[in-house]
Amino acid sequence: METITMTTSKINELAKEVLTIEANSILRLKNSIGTEFDKAIDLLFNCKGRVIVTGMGKSGLIGRKIAATLSSTGTPSYFLHPAESTHGDSGIITRNDVIIAISNSGETQELLNLLPLIKRFGVTMIGMTGKMGSTLAHASDVTLDISVEKEACPLNKAPTASTTATLAMGDALAVCLLEKRGFSEEDFLIFHPSGALGKGFLYKVEDLMLTDKEKLPIAQENQSFAEVIALISDKKLGMAMIVNEEGKLTGVLTDGDIRRTLIKYPNIRPLLAKDVMSPNPKFISPKDYGASALNLMEKYSITALAVLDENGKPIGTVHIHDLLKAGVA
């Protein structure tokens, strides 16, 4: 093999060309989104078993990633090596499963060897191939076109653009299924309890809330407005939780409420907390995720939430600064 000397500019040009070819290969996939894609989503969404992804060589490596992405977003999936499948591993396949078979040529022999078993048990198969006239395409119940104009490899041999396109199509399937299932942040965290993605989200409100009774800004409905202002200033949370005679939360008084009241009333001395508080306040349970608290705060543009027990009585507060420090973002 002869070594070719390349200047830095030539290398940069080649790198940019590779990225352009691969980007274009993904954009071409938009033409493949239609009836067949919709059918694939319906099959995967209604699958009563697992999604079994299979592919050989580079397609197999991409298949492993697709299976992992599906599993982490609410669609239980496994990767099955097609060569190993004919030596006993095919026992993981059940009649309730859906197969995603990947082969750019659609003629990969190890994959075709699996077809008789798939047909024997009547397992539904989604084919992902770059050759719509191939054996795999004809054998599939649904076929997704992942063809590319050319590989990024100058020899047009090494799987490059084709594997990029396959990976992108797999992501499109996973994201559409995620949305169709109503997969939430809390669901995501269940499958990602470790690492940077999930660490912050795992916190419950009870892990982050302020519970020291001496520091909690709790006031009675019949306390004077002036007294509550002093309480808010002293506790430094920008709000006070207003409770009735039974100790149940009936409202909150915030810095914003104070400003609006001072503008509205020339004389504040006769005012009680219940006269100027915001009724029906937003609150959260100590068992809820910190992510849920942050969502409420962002949705209603507030910086602190009352934390209530099962009887509706305040037992703490959680502040947006505490959530952000814990990595709940």
Side-chain angles (χ1 to χ4, degrees), residues 178-200:
L178 178 154
E179 189 70 18
K180 191 176 178 70
R181 295 187 193 283
F183 197 76
S184 67
E185 284 184 337
E186 285 77 11
D187 295 323
F188 188 84
L189 295 173
I190 291 173
F191 300 113
H192 297 79
S194 299
L197 284 175
K199 184 173 62 176

Side-chain angles (χ1 to χ4, degrees), residues 204-218:
K204 296 289 186 71
V205 171
E206 62 187 355
D207 300 322
L208 304 170
M209 68 183 192
L210 174 67
T211 58
D212 187 344
K213 292 184 179 181
E214 295 297 320
K215 296 181 180 180
L216 291 180
I218 299 176

Side-chain angles (χ1 to χ4, degrees), residues 18 30 72 101 111 131 143 187 192 196-197 209 256 269 274 290 314:
V18 169
K30 289 184 177 181
S72 71
L111 200 61
K131 306 294 182 183
T143 306
D187 295 323
H192 297 79
L197 284 175
M209 68 183 192
R269 292 190 179 280
K274 64 182 179 182

